[in-house]
Amino acid sequence: MLERHDTDILILGSGGAGLFAALHAQKAAPSAKVTIAVKGLIGKCGCTRMVQGGYNVALGHGDSVERHFMDTIKGGKWLPDQDMAWKLCEQAVVRVRELENEIGCFFDRNPDGSVHQKAFAGQTFDRTVHKGDLTGIEIINRLMEQVLSRPVERLQEHRAIGLIPAKDGSGLSGVLFIDMRTGRFRFVRAKAVLMATGGGPTMYKYHTPSGDKTMDGLAMALRAGLDLRDMEMVQFHPTGLLAGEHTKMTGTVLEEGLRGAGGHLLNGAEQRFMYDYDERGERATRDIVSRAIYAEMRKSNASPRGGVFISMAHLGPEHVAQKFRGMVKRCSDCGFDLAGGKVEVVPTAHYHMGGVVVDPDTRTAMPGLYVAGEDAGGAHGSNRLGGNGVANSTVYGGVAGDVMGKEATGALRDPDETILDAEIARASHPFARKPGNIHSLRTALQEAMWQDAGVMRTQTGLERCIARLHEIGAELMEIGVDDSTRAFNLTWHDWLNLRSLCDISEVIAEAALARENSRGAHYREDFPDEGDMETSYFTVAHRRDGILDVGRAPVRFTIVRPGETVLPDGEPETMVAAE
Amino acid sequence: MTDLPPDTAPLRVSVWRGAKAGAFETFDVPMQESQTVLDLVAWIQQNADPTLAYRYACRVGMCGSCAMMVNGVPRWTCRTHVSKVMRGGTVQVAPLRNLPVIKDLAVDMDPFFDKWTEAGGAFFPTKSRADAVEPILPETPARQEADAAIECINCAVCYAACDVVSANPDYLGPAALNRAWSLVNDVKDGALDARLTAVSGAGGCHNCHSQQGCVAHCPNELNPTASIAGLKRATVRAALRGKS
Amino acid sequence: MKSHRNHPLWFAFALHRASGLLLALFLPAHFWVLSYALNDAAALDGFLEWTDYTVVKIAEFGLVFLLAVHMFGGLRLMALEWLPWSPHQKTYAAGAVAASFCLSTLFFLSAV
Amino acid sequence: MLGVRLYMLQRLTALIMAPLVMGHIAVMIYAVQGGLSASEILGRTQGSLLWAVFYGTFAVAVALHAAIGLRTIIHETMGLGRSSLAVLTSALFVVLAGMGLYAVYAVTA
Ligand SMILES: Cc1cc2nc3c(=O)[nH]c(=O)nc-3n(C[C@H](O)[C@H](O)[C@H](O)COP(=O)(O)OP(=O)(O)OC[C@H]3O[C@@H](n4cnc5c(N)ncnc54)[C@H](O)[C@@H]3O)c2cc1C
Ligand code: HEM
Ligand code: SF4
Ligand code: F3S
Ligand code: FES
């Protein structure tokens, strides 16, 4: 039943982090065997590919790494790990040049041939590099070509299900997989493993990430006893498409630019409401708009499907159709007229700032295990700036590759066979039960998280949510999966997905309960103020001996303290012209 | 804007089951107002037959992993509204043509990507990360050609639509050649001659008969036929210069 | 059931291939008949007399039609390969077929 | 299975044939009026270097062109390998060109 396989450097995931790690690892250690294992097809899954807006990078002309860094720290409400945030901003410059010059990406140009940059909300400079509104496709396609044309071993449709430590406790031995096409288990030993499975807050009723992302990485890390930080920090995008529960289109992003260009948000009574909440109206930041929409929905001011409307028609349908071609086409493909009519929208879970505690070189507390991209916590603090997500995954994926290339020396570690057997048993659990409807249970989880651990949170809500999560988790253990064939058995994977989501949902809810203030993406109605900046802390969660524990750790202001700046004296606050 | 009344007749969806050998199986799926072909397939797996295999990721037309034959035509299923393809209350869904079937609706896309590489689909750098980003005028003809071909999501819809792919196992196919053409026009790329050789082999661009199924079906409105024609011209020019 | 082939440009391809193939099959026969001229002019005449029969006339009309279809189709194809791409491909394809019809009808009319 | 050379050759022969076909059809339209006869054809062609060159070029071009075309069709429908195709293409060319040139010789000599 169990196939065994060895490699030197093993990478989980083929998003921006995974693909960059593969290229850098191979360059850093040309004689090492590099293997990339992924839940879908290489380059065709994960969220880096779905990046629309673009990539934040300070390319000069008045912008600086310092300014990008200050925006990142302020955007993250002083919670980011400053060394990580600094490295993110500094290395983004190198990474974008690498993407253009070595990987072959082409970012949009100004008429004079220089790279075009625009501003996302929360930035003080026009610094987002992009390729139309399909930036992620350009980045991932080019990276994918480079990886596919090199001798990197590919394990496609291989789902990682367990981090298996060494027998002697010296670190990580390897990773247990299900080869999804055959349904067989495969254990791969490696000297260094990068976890870059991209998190993915898909435990919410409305969510943007791709279907393959279900928090598997963080769930594995949790079982391995690693520390997870900032787990309460789930970013909601204010305008997800609302098209009914039966369609996968629901939750997908209607881009930020629609509001920026002057789109109106209307409640169920077809009235604008954003000015009741913020003087910037629809142009307020993601968190504020998300909360305002949520508040309208709770006031029963909702559209027929329970959201609000976005309306662009007053800008001239032709103009809208031309400026937002992709979005308009996407809406019309599923029957909505974005250019001329109204489209129902709802806040949608977009990004998870929380993740494994790592050092700025992507190392974890477990020797041999490295984490990068959305799976790693720290770089964004309580809120990620639009455009910093893909910068983070590509920068730290590359860093991980360099570091692993150097550190993947010595011998392979022998696995702890007891844990290996236990992980196989865990994954095989549903085959011993009577099949049931997993989908309706996932809907129940998504409903619970959306209601009580979503855009706005309270102690009572979170406690109710946690109780519900325990019930759902227990119910899942009683639902089985048809064992007639394990090959490409999606329902088995639905079960495993839901298991990961339940485990991490609990951590999110517990961490949200532990943070008794409101920072960035985390909003407690019972603790609406942001708390003292000087004594800022972040949450750290782990599960050891079956007990989930959430603690606090003080933020270390290693570069700049609240109220101060690293910008030179006299630098203007912002260099973005108000629209 | 509400969901349809429950008395609406269900859709009859026939779905391919098995691998190369197999048969269609029919399911009744409740009809909804906003429903894509991918939603139909997912509904069947979640509610009617848990063993049905298919593939998707992004669900919004970006990853190109959900393509299938819908009523005999290759399509991205996550962006195909049921009303667009439904006939007399029925829809037929089969795995993508021209690729080996793994199971049910999931195909092995490796041959498609192997050919992408074989066609010289990977950029060859002439500069490094130590250099500044090269200024490139967006309005130059070469850049416009490169851009026109660039927004491919490698969904293999065109690959499934092309009869030369079915007839000639070496044929690199529209998507790979389209990518090669984009690179031929990329002034940053340093492997022009090698790429022109790569697209001139037994399965190269000269085997395209301009059937234009690729153009007719590409969900992103790309024009691989025009790209392939570009390669034909470029390779002929190179051959006349004695460089092939 | 619709098929992936169900678009006018695939039809244009199919027509070009079919006409090319039929022409290639007819060609040896044509050469063979003509070579009678060398040693047996009477036989050639005998053959040419056949051309009075309507069936044969229609067959010949077919041949000229094939030749015209194939030629215009081929010219259309080379235009799209070698001239700047134009979005009017379908119009050209239809035009090529129409032109072939005109030419072969002209031939037919003059033959009867 | 076409490489750049065969591709060029096929397009080149096509371009050469296009005006020849037009000429041939024009002559035919003119000639068939009132029926065809061997003497009429031969009277026009025999001893004419011009017609010999005209139809000679046509015969060689068409042989090349059709051989390459048939090669493609045969490859795509029967999947022959590279070397069998090479033999087949040459054989087709030799037969077609041989018959064609013999016919041209017959009507113009
Ligand atoms: C719709 C959308 C738009 C976005 N737009 C922007 C933007 O404009 N700018 C920006 O900066 N950021 C944006 N982001 C965020 C950005 O995409 C992510 O921050 C970043 O790309 C994450 O990269 P990653 O490599 O960590 O993960 P991903 O790219 O998500 O890749 C994760 C990989 O891990 C694989 N995987 C998952 N589980 C397993 C498992 N168990 N075993 C093996 N493999 C596994 C997945 O299949 C996938 O290949 C957007 C996100 C979304 C969803
Ligand atoms: C008059 C001028 C002609 C022109 C402009 C012409 C043009 C072409 C072109 C461009 C092709 C390539 C098609 C492709 O790659 O899909 C082709 C193919 C072909 N031609 Fe011609 N041709 C002409 C005359 C002829 C004649 C007289 C014959 C036969 C006797 C012929 C037989 C063929 C065959 C068999 C093919 C292969 C068809 C295919 O691959 O689908 N052609 N022709
Ligand atoms: S060219 Fe179009 S159809 Fe072909 S793979 Fe690319 S996006 Fe898909
Ligand atoms: S369908 Fe095929 S034949 Fe050429 S024009 Fe497109 S690649
Ligand atoms: S699921 Fe990604 S393109 Fe359809």
Side-chain angles (χ1 to χ4, degrees):
Chain A
M1 268 299 271
L2 179 67
E3 291 166 15
R4 288 175 194 257
H5 190 80
D6 287 340
T7 187
D8 294 323
I9 295 173
L10 173 64
I11 291 159
L12 311 182
S14 69
L19 293 176
F20 252 114
L23 294 176
H24 277 233
Q26 209 172 47
K27 200 159 185 185
S31 58
K33 179 174 171 195
V34 178
T35 302
I36 186 158
V38 51
K39 203 173 177 180
L41 302 180
I42 287 190
K44 295 178 77 67
C45 45
C47 290
T48 310
R49 205 182 166 94
M50 298 170 75
V51 164
Q52 300 180 323
Y55 190 121
N56 287 350
V57 56
L59 290 179
H61 318 289
D63 197 11
S64 62
V65 172
E66 284 79 5
R67 186 174 279 282
H68 184 186
F69 171 76
M70 284 313 296
D71 287 351
T72 303
I73 299 296
K74 285 186 187 162
K77 302 285 186 266
W78 295 90
L79 291 195
D81 176 298
Q82 299 196 347
D83 297 329
M84 287 180 72
W86 179 263
K87 193 164 189 167
L88 162 64
C89 301
E90 184 189 56
Q91 290 298 309
V93 182
V94 183
R95 205 61 89 237
V96 157
R97 290 201 303 250
E98 185 179 354
L99 279 167
E100 264 271 346
N101 297 348
E102 296 180 32
I103 308 296
C105 289
F106 182 80
F107 296 114
D108 281 0
R109 297 296 206 269
N110 294 310
D112 71 355
S114 59
V115 174
H116 181 255
Q117 291 179 283
K118 58 181 186 180
F120 256 125
Q123 286 180 181
T124 63
F125 202 91
D126 291 339
R127 82 163 59 91
T128 308
V129 164
H130 63 108
K131 170 88 191 105
D133 56 5
L134 300 172
T135 312
I137 297 178
E138 175 69 358
I139 292 177
I140 289 294
N141 274 353
R142 304 296 78 91
L143 280 169
M144 173 193 84
E145 290 159 6
Q146 295 296 328
V147 169
L148 293 181
S149 63
R150 285 177 165 75
V152 171
E153 185 183 41
R154 315 175 203 171
L155 297 176
Q156 300 191 93
E157 291 178 329
H158 270 62
R159 175 196 189 121
I161 55 169
L163 302 173
I164 310 299
K167 190 162 54 185
D168 60 6
S170 61
L172 182 68
S173 164
V175 179
L176 177 66
F177 293 93
I178 296 168
D179 174 345
M180 299 165 72
R181 294 181 185 177
T182 63
R184 281 197 281 271
F185 292 102
R186 173 167 288 132
F187 175 62
V188 181
R189 287 194 305 172
K191 295 170 186 169
V193 174
L194 173 69
M195 192 167 89
T197 64
T202 54
M203 66 286 276
Y204 290 89
K205 184 172 173 185
Y206 308 110
H207 59 257
T208 68
S210 60
D212 48 306
K213 298 223 298 186
T214 54
M215 293 283 181
D216 293 344
L218 296 190
M220 291 191 293
L222 187 70
R223 282 200 301 282
L226 290 161
D227 283 344
L228 308 180
R229 62 170 287 174
D230 297 322
M231 292 297 285
E232 70 280 21
M233 300 302 179
V234 178
Q235 181 175 69
F236 283 80
H237 193 291
T239 52
L241 181 67
L242 182 55
E245 273 174 44
H246 53 271
T247 175
K248 290 187 190 297
M249 296 294 297
T250 286
T252 56
V253 171
L254 289 190
E255 72 180 75
E256 201 108 66
L258 295 171
R259 284 183 294 120
H264 289 168
L265 291 173
L266 309 175
N267 59 22
E270 310 211 356
Q271 252 136 33
R272 287 180 77 186
F273 57 87
M274 270 314 300
Y275 282 100
D276 301 345
Y277 298 87
D278 193 283
E279 62 198 12
R280 287 164 293 181
E282 278 86 354
R283 291 199 176 100
T285 49
R286 281 182 189 174
D287 48 337
I288 292 171
V289 181
S290 295
R291 285 198 286 275
I293 295 176
Y294 191 73
E296 288 296 307
M297 290 162 59
R298 273 208 310 214
K299 280 194 255 166
S300 303
N301 268 349
S303 62
R305 286 202 164 95
V308 298
F309 296 106
I310 189 163
S311 162
M312 306 295 297
H314 59 282
L315 299 172
E318 270 126 67
H319 169 74
V320 176
Q322 186 210 342
K323 180 155 182 197
F324 298 100
R325 221 183 93 230
M327 273 293 138
V328 169
K329 182 159 178 272
R330 188 193 286 183
C331 286
S332 92
D333 280 352
C334 49
F336 300 108
D337 178 10
L338 177 64
K342 301 188 303 279
V343 176
E344 287 184 73
V345 293
V346 69
T348 176
H350 188 44
Y351 187 90
H352 188 214
M353 275 70 74
V356 179
V357 172
V358 291
D359 72 9
D361 281 336
T362 73
R363 294 185 199 94
T364 66
M366 184 185 256
L369 178 67
Y370 304 76
V371 177
E374 203 172 325
D375 274 346
H380 311 296
S382 70
N383 208 1
R384 172 188 69 97
L385 293 184
N388 266 4
V390 58
N392 176 61
S393 58
T394 51
V395 162
Y396 281 107
V399 169
D402 296 337
V403 174
M404 290 193 300
K406 266 192 243 111
E407 298 181 0
T409 51
L412 288 162
R413 302 178 182 91
D414 281 327
D416 183 330
E417 297 285 340
T418 335
I419 297 185
L420 189 55
D421 290 343
E423 282 290 348
I424 292 175
R426 190 188 69 84
S428 315
H429 176 92
F431 293 128
R433 301 284 181 290
K434 208 164 108 327
N437 193 322
I438 297 165
H439 183 63
S440 59
L441 199 59
R442 178 153 175 183
T443 312
L445 169 76
Q446 290 176 325
E447 194 69 49
M449 288 297 285
W450 166 251
Q451 289 301 342
D452 287 327
V455 180
M456 292 200 243
R457 302 155 172 184
T458 61
Q459 181 177 348
T460 22
L462 287 166
E463 281 166 353
R464 180 170 53 221
C465 180
I466 292 164
R468 188 78 188 100
L469 291 176
H470 288 152
E471 284 166 27
I472 293 169
E475 225 174 296
L476 179 62
M477 297 311 279
E478 295 312 314
I479 293 188
V481 169
D482 182 346
D483 200 9
S484 60
T485 168
R486 294 191 184 187
F488 231 115
N489 186 333
L490 294 187
T491 306
W492 182 20
H493 294 283
D494 285 346
W495 191 96
L496 292 162
N497 288 344
L498 188 51
R499 190 64 260 168
S500 297
L501 289 173
C502 283
D503 293 350
I504 295 305
S505 296
E506 192 185 337
V507 186
I508 291 176
E510 289 284 1
L513 197 56
R515 175 173 286 283
E516 297 189 328
N517 59 29
S518 296
R519 285 271 180 113
H522 171 73
Y523 189 82
R524 284 281 298 264
E525 288 178 83
D526 42 359
F527 295 98
D529 64 69
E530 45 184 26
D532 180 38
M533 288 293 153
E534 277 293 335
T535 58
S536 292
Y537 61 87
F538 59 91
T539 63
V540 183
H542 55 239
R543 196 168 72 193
R544 290 181 196 143
D545 305 320
I547 295 162
L548 180 64
D549 176 68
V550 181
R552 295 174 179 181
V555 176
R556 291 181 312 123
F557 302 114
T558 49
I559 298 176
V560 61
R561 302 197 70 80
E564 295 173 0
T565 180
V566 294
L567 291 176
D569 284 346
E571 276 278 304
E573 184 74 11
T574 177
M575 298 178 79
V576 177
E579 237 178 295
Chain B
M1 288 284 270
T2 44
D3 298 340
L4 297 184
D7 56 339
T8 313
L11 266 169
R12 313 261 316 148
V13 184
S14 61
V15 175
W16 182 257
R17 303 306 304 273
K20 194 169 178 190
F24 284 98
E25 193 180 334
T26 305
F27 298 90
D28 283 347
V29 182
M31 193 133 72
Q32 306 278 356
E33 190 182 284
S34 302
Q35 196 172 27
T36 63
V37 173
L38 179 63
D39 292 327
L40 296 179
V41 171
W43 189 93
I44 294 170
Q45 180 254 330
Q46 285 164 350
N47 298 285
D49 185 341
T51 63
L52 178 65
Y54 59 102
R55 185 188 287 125
Y56 81 98
C58 73
R59 68 212 158 94
V60 282
M62 296 183 106
C63 70
S65 44
C66 67
M68 301 170 201
M69 302 301 289
V70 182
N71 289 345
V73 174
R75 289 181 178 278
W76 52 359
T77 57
C78 70
R79 287 273 295 266
T80 301
H81 199 288
V82 170
S83 64
K84 209 179 332 191
V85 290
M86 184 181 66
R87 284 147 179 257
T90 64
V91 175
Q92 189 204 66
V93 192
L96 210 54
R97 248 175 115 241
N98 291 341
L99 288 164
V101 183
I102 298 176
K103 187 183 163 204
D104 301 341
L105 301 172
V107 294
D108 179 1
M109 294 188 79
D110 280 353
F112 175 80
F113 285 104
D114 290 346
K115 288 177 178 177
W116 188 288
T117 308
E118 216 183 299
F123 175 78
F124 188 88
T126 48
K127 289 188 165 177
S128 87
R129 65 196 80 165
D131 303 306
V133 174
E134 186 165 330
I136 292 171
L137 298 178
E139 301 298 331
T140 52
R143 193 58 236 173
Q144 302 256 305
E145 286 278 6
D147 281 345
I150 210 167
E151 279 174 12
C152 168
I153 57 168
N154 25 72
C155 61
V157 160
C158 55
Y159 193 81
C162 177
D163 282 343
V164 180
V165 172
S166 353
N168 179 350
D170 293 325
Y171 183 49
L172 297 169
L177 293 169
N178 178 67
R179 172 62 187 142
W181 174 242
S182 189
L183 277 171
V184 163
N185 287 290
D186 188 339
V187 294
K188 295 189 293 178
D189 182 82
L192 179 65
D193 291 343
R195 189 163 297 109
L196 291 182
T197 310
V199 298
S200 300
C205 61
H206 308 103
N207 296 282
C208 161
H209 301 300
S210 304
Q211 286 176 359
Q212 296 183 68
C214 50
V215 185
H217 298 290
C218 172
N220 285 316
E221 296 167 6
L222 299 189
N223 190 337
T225 313
S227 297
I228 295 169
L231 288 176
K232 288 172 177 167
R233 295 193 298 273
T235 47
V236 166
R237 262 185 234 118
L240 294 177
R241 276 185 281 124
K243 266 202 191 169
S244 75
Chain C
M1 167 92 25
K2 250 186 108 170
S3 137
H4 65 280
R5 299 188 177 122
N6 204 347
H7 59 99
L9 297 173
W10 190 87
F11 181 70
F13 154 79
L15 203 62
H16 189 70
R17 169 156 293 187
S19 57
L21 184 62
L22 289 174
L23 284 173
L25 295 178
F26 156 80
L27 196 62
H30 186 61
F31 288 154
W32 182 68
V33 168
L34 285 175
S35 48
Y36 271 108
L38 194 59
N39 28 38
D40 196 352
L44 180 62
D45 255 336
F47 184 82
L48 291 173
E49 261 168 32
W50 277 26
T51 53
D52 285 341
Y53 294 108
T54 322
V55 206
V56 179
K57 281 214 172 106
I58 290 175
E60 268 183 20
F61 158 78
L63 273 175
V64 175
F65 178 64
L66 285 181
L67 193 57
V69 156
H70 188 79
M71 181 184 70
F72 284 117
L75 289 174
R76 171 193 77 94
L77 212 135
M78 287 187 285
L80 89 82
E81 285 179 346
W82 291 89
L83 302 178
W85 183 270
S86 108
H88 304 299
Q89 286 304 321
K90 287 177 194 165
T91 326
Y92 289 162
V97 177
S100 325
F101 252 115
C102 293
L103 200 66
S104 37
T105 311
L106 191 65
F107 175 80
F108 188 63
L109 289 179
S110 57
V112 286
Chain D
M1 199 193 295
L2 290 192
V4 64
R5 278 157 218 282
L6 288 180
Y7 165 83
M8 282 165 65
L9 202 54
Q10 199 186 31
R11 299 309 188 255
L12 185 72
T13 50
L15 281 178
I16 292 172
M17 279 189 294
L20 300 183
V21 165
M22 293 293 266
H24 182 64
I25 293 181
V27 170
M28 282 298 133
I29 288 175
Y30 165 77
V32 288
Q33 281 165 340
L36 281 174
S37 78
S39 54
E40 192 205 337
I41 295 179
L42 298 177
R44 185 170 58 241
T45 55
Q46 249 160 9
S48 158
L49 186 64
L50 198 72
W51 285 115
V53 171
F54 183 98
Y55 284 114
T57 314
F58 203 156
V60 174
V62 84
L64 279 169
H65 181 88
I68 299 171
L70 289 173
R71 167 197 170 99
T72 308
I73 296 178
I74 287 168
H75 177 240
E76 288 182 11
T77 49
M78 299 178 209
L80 292 194
R82 181 184 286 271
S83 46
S84 352
L85 274 179
V87 172
L88 188 98
T89 316
S90 325
L92 279 170
F93 169 70
V94 169
V95 170
L96 287 173
M99 288 182 77
L101 288 175
Y102 184 66
V104 172
Y105 174 71
V107 293
T108 58

